[in-house]
Amino acid sequence: MAEKKKRWAMVIDLRRCVGCNACTVSCKIENNVPEGVFRSWVKEIEKGDYPEVTRFRLPRLCNHCDNAPCLAACPVQATYRTEDGAILIDYDHCIGCKYCMTACPYDARFLNPIRKTAEKCTFCYHRIQEGLLPACVTTCVGGARVFGDINDPESLVAKLVANNPVQVLKPEMNTEPYVFYIGADQNIMGARYDKLEKGEK
Amino acid sequence: MVSNVTYIANIVHPVQLGVLIAIYFFYTGLSAGSFVLSSLGTVFGIQKYKPIAKAGVVMAVSLLAIAPLHLIADLEQPQRFYTLFFRLNLHSAISYGTFLLTLYPLNSLIYGWFLFRKDLAKGAKELTGFRQSLYKLLTFGKTDLSEAALAKDTKIAKFLGTLGVPLALMVHGYTGFILADIQSRALWHTGLMPLIFLMSAMVSGTGLLILVLMFSQRFLSPERSLTPERKALILDISQLMMWFIVVDATLMVIDFIMLYFTSAAGHFAAQLFLYGSHRTMFLGVEVVLGLLIPFVLMLLPRTKRSLGWISIASFLTLLGVIAMRINFVIGGQQIPLSGDTLNPYTVDPKHLIFITLFAISELTILYLAFRILPVYGLLKAKSAPDLYQKEALSK
């Protein structure tokens, strides 16, 4: 069998996530992300009524989709895909039309208020090129974030995806995300409109 | 679905495409609408609409000269806008739009020139002073006024107009498509969106054309009056507007019924517009003020014959269509993708300044074009007996 091309992926094992936001902070420091915007963040919800209550966390980042809507939307080819599957932005060619930000179903993109271009998580591409792990992965205290080449059957990500029930965000969008979650609660994975509908009425 | 879920922590995702984009959609809509009306006489051969062909094309060109400025002003890196022409992405609607937005005004401009050439050439011969030299310049040396030359003009204008109608429809269909293309936004992601945008373009294009015709024929045409024929034509166009409103409203009803039953996000979008905080802007301004009242005004026998009521109805359609653009562009992005609250939108004051400046320049261009160009033909030269009589009287 011919060796498959490298495909970076991340598995986030939510059973190990404690919601400490170390990933959020390390990402900000590593990538010099300005105030008020985030490449990676942690959503948190509470489900149930006292005493039967549980907290669920959902670390978020760019899904580096195989069928990425942002890649299709960019009118100047500033968004591109690397050979190993990561979606990156060429900041020297981004015109800041913000079309990609409306196209992303995951709210992963934002406007960098200083550089004045689109921006998002790069899987810390500058680090993984050097053989390091993304900053959020190295800093994760519970070891919830696992990163690697999903096409390599020996890698931990490939094993975790093969041996666990995994979920991706909004599979109905047909984006084929490469960030997999283990143990994600359905109520935190998308948007919720019930409170809004009640309040709006 | 469990209902006792509380959001503890999440981040804010503000609305990115704002009021500049909404107003840009409004301008292209006006342009496409007025071009189609201009073509009714020249392309579709309906004789009674011939007199508005030139007015329509002046509007189409001047509106589309200003419209793309809104897009450039909305870019975060406006100095890089020209890269849109060569760094193409064949999967991106905007890449196609770049060329549509360039070809359509150019085609309209050449089409307009062939409509105007006869009057320009005549003016270059008959008039004096500033207009004479300007018209002479604008004929580019083509001053042949023979029957054959004029027939050729009509033929070329018809050809360019035939090319222009699909271009106009594509330019505005594409603005709807730019939204429809986005699978993540429930309010936008429907095949009806280009059609809705097209029909509201026809409504607003007719509305503005009526207002411009009234003002320019009364104050800027050689006759300086709304002659009975002109009034009859305006009444006729206002009836067209009523039917455009009917089609637009029908599409809107279908869209909302579909939306209500499509998905959680779609259902919420419909809720938001029909019952929620966007109700005033949608039902109040867009539907009642922008569609229902103009429709009723153009239906009732008493009001449909009055120029005053027609101008009010036309103005209301413009207001309604501006509201529609804002509702769909900004409202569509306010529906959360990953949170439990509406995405916030704050208007950038800089954008409002741009919009005001562009609107002032648009009105100035329209005024100057109607004032200087022979949109309604040339002033009839005074006949010899008139001059003789005047001379005799003055003695």
Side-chain angles (χ1 to χ4, degrees), chain A residues 2-22:
Chain A
E3 200 166 309
K4 273 190 179 171
K5 254 176 37 183
K6 198 178 260 183
R7 184 33 162 125
W8 295 123
M10 191 180 283
V11 175
I12 304 181
D13 188 345
L14 296 177
R15 297 167 300 187
R16 290 162 164 259
C17 175
V18 296
C20 67
N21 270 302

Side-chain angles (χ1 to χ4, degrees), chain A residues 36-38 41-49 55 60 67 69-78 90-99 101-111 115-117 170 173-175 185-198 200-201, chain B residues 1-13 16-17 21 74-78 80-81 83-84 86-95 98 177-179 181-185 188 264-269 271-272 275-278 333 335-343 350-351:
Chain A
V37 286
F38 300 86
W41 67 99
V42 182
K43 253 174 96 175
E44 209 164 333
I45 63 159
E46 227 165 54
K47 187 173 79 171
D49 295 311
R55 261 195 192 199
R60 287 292 326 276
N67 187 14
C70 57
L71 188 65
C74 180
V76 290
Q77 298 177 29
D90 181 345
Y91 303 125
D92 293 331
H93 283 113
C94 173
I95 58 172
C97 70
K98 296 164 282 194
Y99 194 40
M101 301 173 200
T102 63
C104 176
Y106 305 109
D107 279 336
R109 288 177 168 243
F110 56 89
L111 184 75
R115 200 197 289 118
K116 300 274 179 201
T117 63
K170 301 190 182 183
M173 290 287 165
N174 193 29
T175 50
D185 187 89
Q186 179 202 353
N187 292 298
I188 200 172
M189 293 176 78
R192 279 193 67 100
Y193 307 106
D194 53 340
K195 290 255 162 59
L196 267 173
E197 285 193 6
K198 256 181 237 158
E200 291 285 340
K201 268 183 189 169
Chain B
M1 200 168 184
V2 286
S3 58
N4 45 359
V5 170
T6 317
Y7 269 67
I8 309 288
N10 199 2
I11 64 169
V12 181
H13 303 282
Q16 297 291 354
L17 300 180
I21 302 293
D74 192 61
L75 294 183
E76 298 300 323
Q77 301 280 354
R80 291 180 189 162
F81 87 92
T83 58
L84 280 164
F86 53 88
R87 291 183 64 86
L88 304 178
N89 176 2
L90 294 181
H91 296 283
S92 174
I94 294 183
S95 271
T98 312
F177 189 75
I178 247 184
L179 302 187
D181 202 23
I182 301 296
Q183 76 232 48
S184 61
R185 311 279 168 175
W188 299 351
H267 182 266
F268 171 65
Q271 287 264 347
L272 183 71
Y275 306 103
S277 60
H278 288 43
Q333 294 171 78
I335 298 154
L337 298 178
S338 63
D340 68 338
T341 51
L342 286 185
N343 293 334
K350 211 168 65 195
H351 288 181

Side-chain angles (χ1 to χ4, degrees), chain B residues 81-310:
Chain B
F81 87 92
Y82 65 92
T83 58
L84 280 164
F85 286 99
F86 53 88
R87 291 183 64 86
L88 304 178
N89 176 2
L90 294 181
H91 296 283
S92 174
I94 294 183
S95 271
Y96 292 94
T98 312
F99 290 93
L100 286 175
L101 280 174
T102 320
L103 289 178
Y104 165 67
L106 281 178
N107 180 70
S108 307
L109 198 66
I110 303 170
Y111 160 80
W113 184 79
F114 278 101
L115 291 186
F116 271 101
R117 198 192 69 89
K118 179 182 156 195
D119 286 327
L120 290 174
K122 260 192 189 165
K125 274 188 192 144
E126 292 168 10
L127 297 178
T128 50
F130 160 69
R131 277 199 174 74
Q132 194 261 343
S133 29
L134 180 77
Y135 289 4
K136 198 172 173 189
L137 183 77
L138 288 178
T139 56
F140 298 109
K142 301 269 190 299
T143 50
D144 186 3
L145 277 169
S146 65
E147 289 279 314
L150 294 181
K152 202 177 156 198
D153 278 1
T154 321
K155 215 175 142 191
I156 298 178
K158 186 174 177 183
F159 171 73
L160 291 172
T162 315
L163 210 65
V165 173
L167 269 178
L169 298 182
M170 273 158 80
V171 160
H172 204 65
Y174 132 81
T175 58
F177 189 75
I178 247 184
L179 302 187
D181 202 23
I182 301 296
Q183 76 232 48
S184 61
R185 311 279 168 175
L187 183 66
W188 299 351
H189 190 50
T190 149
L192 280 179
M193 201 46 68
L195 298 176
I196 290 179
F197 268 69
L198 267 181
M199 276 335 286
S200 54
M202 293 309 298
V203 172
S204 61
T206 326
L208 186 67
L209 183 72
I210 289 174
L211 291 177
V212 168
L213 284 180
M214 280 185 184
F215 180 83
S216 61
Q217 294 182 336
R218 174 70 188 82
F219 297 105
L220 304 172
S221 70
E223 295 83 5
R224 298 265 191 285
S225 78
L226 277 169
T227 56
E229 306 89 68
R230 287 177 173 172
K231 194 182 163 186
L233 187 55
I234 288 178
L235 293 185
D236 190 289
I237 299 173
S238 70
Q239 285 302 300
L240 273 184
M241 183 169 82
M242 183 186 83
W243 289 109
F244 290 145
I245 290 176
V246 172
V247 182
D248 190 22
T250 312
L251 287 173
M252 205 64 104
V253 169
I254 299 173
D255 187 39
F256 269 81
I257 294 175
M258 296 292 291
L259 205 55
Y260 210 84
F261 298 105
T262 144
S263 64
H267 182 266
F268 171 65
Q271 287 264 347
L272 183 71
F273 278 54
L274 297 173
Y275 306 103
S277 60
H278 288 43
R279 190 182 194 168
T280 322
M281 263 298 265
F282 178 70
L283 283 182
V285 184
E286 183 181 334
V287 175
V288 174
L289 281 182
L291 294 173
L292 192 63
I293 294 181
F295 172 74
V296 173
L297 286 177
M298 294 303 96
L299 191 68
L300 295 178
R302 264 187 67 185
T303 47
K304 77 173 181 188
R305 311 216 149 268
S306 136
L307 288 182
W309 284 112
I310 291 180

